[in-house]
Amino acid sequence: MRRLARNALISTLLAVGLAQAAERPRVALVLGGGGARGLAHVGVLKVLEEARVPVDCVVGTSMGALVGGIYASGRSAADVDATVRQIDWDDVLDDRPLRQQRSYRDKQDDWFNMMNLGLGVSDTGQLLFPKGAINTQKVDLLIRQLVNNATLPSFDGLPVPYRAVAADLETGDMVVLSRGDLAAAMRASMAVPGVFPPVERDTRVLVDGGIARNLPVDVARGLCGDVVIAVDVSSPLLTRKQTTDVLAISDQTVRALMQRNVDEQLKQLGTRDILITPQLGNLSPTAFADALDAVAAGEEAARLALPSLLAYRVDEAGWQQWRQQLAGRVYQPGPVRAVVVDSTRFVNPNVLKDALEVKTGEPLDVPAFHDKLGKVYASGDFEQIDYRMVRDGDGETVQLLPKEKPWGPGYLDLGLGLRTDFDDDAAFQLSAQYRRSWINARGAEWKTRLFLGQSRGLTTQFYQPLNRDGTFFAELQGRFSNDSFPIYFDGERLAEYRLAERGIKLDLGSLWGRWGEMRLGLEYSRKRLSRATGDPALGEGRGNEGGVHYSLVYDQLDSARYPREGSFAGLHLYSNLTKLGGEANYHKAQWTLKHAQRWGNWAAYLDTQYDYSREAEINALPRAGGLFKLSSYGIDELRAERIFRSQFRLSQDVTRLTPLLGTAGFWGFSLEAARIWQPLDTTLDSNRLLYSGTVFVGSDTRLGPAYFAVSYGDNKHGKVYLSINGGF
């Protein structure tokens, strides 16, 4: 009897268990938008998996769409967590390509301290602006790699059925993305207006879904939601005391609009549904550096909800079966069969295709391909270079989607320089540059720069690649300039001269991609030297120069303005010859070596330069003096036939700026030394080592490096500098 009773009890429990398994409600997970706050979703996913709560579908908005899409593609919560921790958010959200990836040709503008505003000029003269403050090239490629380039006729075919919510820019209506390119759908849901460019999909222009449905409970209910687990990470409304300026008021307006549609969705939650609200305090939606805090907050909030969540858990066998089903549905791309390039307006598509070198007959090497895309994007001609994997039988066609800058191919940039040593030097420089790219199929470029201030003038140059890959080139340049420079004697400013020059130059050269170049050329100019201040007995004059020049340059510094990594080497030779129109024969040579090394927030920088001249005019003599060029001496105070100078600088980044403002705030010190031979100022001792020490604080901003510095040197003089792009 006992055996019969026990068997009956076991049978009853098994029947109840099977009935409960068969009647398990479908669970829809809703992940709301909130920028960096949305990384709390990762912590919620971790707890759901620990509790063995299967998710039958995921619906997300903005950052919720990103986290939800990664999870829906078949990754475990632990994998999502590890991925989020490895992402360098500062780099991903910085739209500027790494300088080492840019072509050497493009890098040259860095020495002119342009602001890189990304402005365009139409053929009718209209000033054009980008569609977003930050381009999303790095973001898009990251998402594609995270979801394995999945493209499906329906997102129901993902391991976990998925929907991304965006908004129609024209109408403000909600748009539910349910098919096609998964990465593009996720990015559309994240296209914060004014920050990221909108995404064009079918006939619509899509932006961040938060303005229409920041917590899309109704979408999830219609997709699979017998039970809805909603995670709300929206920012709380500001108080009256916090809305003290126009930016805060604008922020409050957006928060209020989003909160209204969130409140409407919360009303649709029933008694079986679960709302999880991580306690994120005042964590900013842009504070990605605090991502780990957000993950922890999400995990804590989900654990508080465990008593309710456990109602929807399954046993270990059921959980393993669910995970195996997901693994069997993971999207696997096939081998590449072909590569096609969408039409372009002005960039030669064959140049783009050749640069990417995609191998056919094998699966796409995504990291290597993305690296090549990044290098092509660094050319500056594109708003974005996206791609799509299109299923072609058992293989894939790589469809390249180059999106040229709609504000190109005419570009305008501005530059600003200011400096003072609070003594005998105060100067400014304003500059504007117009660049017209892709004048012909080989990528010819016309560039004109106008500058006003201490130096005044205009340069214009036409650059013509001689073959399709740009390895060889010719360049014709004309210039008109009027520069000022000081003459010192015994530490005192004796006179101020102006040098007016009109010249033309023709070069032939070889460009080595992003590494450097070699060029050889002829130049001719007419010059007039006039005295602006000083003793009338000091001479003036005019004459012609004509000569041949040669240069060889390697440049892999991470920044021309504030280097922290990389190296630079340059050799420049010039011979002024009477046979080529010069007034006299003289020769100049210069070699430069720079190297920067980073250790965490610390960086060391070594800069050495040797200048040599023989029988050169006063304006062509090597010079030294000024901030970081022997800082205790005045700007260009030292002139001599030969000068060797060296600088060692050690700095520490103490704060990080947002990509819109710059890179970092820093402090440091600099040790500088120089040796001179045959100085113009005969009171200087050629056998004596000249040196200076400098302490500085500053910031590497979008305008350029800003410094406040104090120096002292062997000349027993102290200098105080305030400089923004003060090298001109």
Side-chain angles (χ1 to χ4, degrees), residues 54 91 106 112 144 159 212 232 234 293 361 445 512 539 596 647 664 684 717:
D91 177 62
D106 183 47
F112 298 123
R144 290 202 171 281
D232 180 16
S234 53
D293 294 338
E445 180 180 81
W512 306 324
Q647 177 207 3
L684 292 172
H717 287 175

Side-chain angles (χ1 to χ4, degrees), residues 13 63 102 150 167 185 211 281 325 483 647:
L13 291 175
M63 185 56 72
R102 292 160 50 200
I211 65 174
Q325 290 175 351
D483 301 334
Q647 177 207 3

Side-chain angles (χ1 to χ4, degrees), residues 324-347:
Q324 290 173 5
Q325 290 175 351
L326 264 58
R329 291 160 59 92
V330 172
Y331 182 85
Q332 297 293 341
V336 175
R337 301 300 185 198
V339 179
V340 296
V341 183
D342 273 16
S343 61
T344 55
R345 291 189 299 130
F346 53 87
V347 176

Side-chain angles (χ1 to χ4, degrees), residues 481-516:
S481 63
N482 192 310
D483 301 334
S484 69
F485 63 90
I487 299 296
Y488 282 81
F489 186 81
D490 197 18
E492 299 293 331
R493 187 182 286 239
L494 184 65
E496 184 87 15
Y497 274 89
R498 296 205 71 89
L499 177 67
E501 180 180 8
R502 295 175 292 164
I504 189 170
K505 182 169 65 171
L506 175 64
D507 289 347
L508 296 175
S510 176
L511 181 68
W512 306 324
R514 64 185 188 274
W515 304 103

Side-chain angles (χ1 to χ4, degrees), residues 456 481-487 495-501 527-536 538-543 618-619:
R456 305 190 295 267
S481 63
N482 192 310
D483 301 334
S484 69
F485 63 90
I487 299 296
E496 184 87 15
Y497 274 89
R498 296 205 71 89
L499 177 67
E501 180 180 8
K527 299 186 178 184
R528 180 170 57 87
L529 190 65
S530 59
R531 185 185 62 258
T533 63
D535 190 336
L538 295 173
E540 299 182 332
R542 64 177 65 222
I618 186 173
N619 57 280

Side-chain angles (χ1 to χ4, degrees), residues 432-542:
Q433 178 174 277
Y434 174 79
R435 177 173 67 92
R436 178 80 182 202
S437 64
W438 289 95
I439 294 174
N440 55 40
R442 289 190 174 178
E445 180 180 81
W446 173 45
K447 187 183 295 183
T448 298
R449 187 168 68 95
L450 173 69
F451 43 99
L452 301 170
Q454 185 187 41
S455 297
R456 305 190 295 267
L458 179 141
T459 65
T460 186
Q461 59 191 44
F462 184 82
Y463 179 89
Q464 176 63 68
L466 300 179
N467 53 344
R468 197 162 75 179
D469 64 4
T471 305
F472 299 99
F473 66 86
E475 182 179 87
L476 179 64
Q477 180 186 104
R479 66 185 184 278
F480 304 87
S481 63
N482 192 310
D483 301 334
S484 69
F485 63 90
I487 299 296
Y488 282 81
F489 186 81
D490 197 18
E492 299 293 331
R493 187 182 286 239
L494 184 65
E496 184 87 15
Y497 274 89
R498 296 205 71 89
L499 177 67
E501 180 180 8
R502 295 175 292 164
I504 189 170
K505 182 169 65 171
L506 175 64
D507 289 347
L508 296 175
S510 176
L511 181 68
W512 306 324
R514 64 185 188 274
W515 304 103
E517 71 167 21
M518 177 185 67
R519 64 170 66 201
L520 177 67
L522 301 173
E523 61 181 278
Y524 177 81
S525 63
R526 293 177 178 270
K527 299 186 178 184
R528 180 170 57 87
L529 190 65
S530 59
R531 185 185 62 258
T533 63
D535 190 336
L538 295 173
E540 299 182 332
R542 64 177 65 222

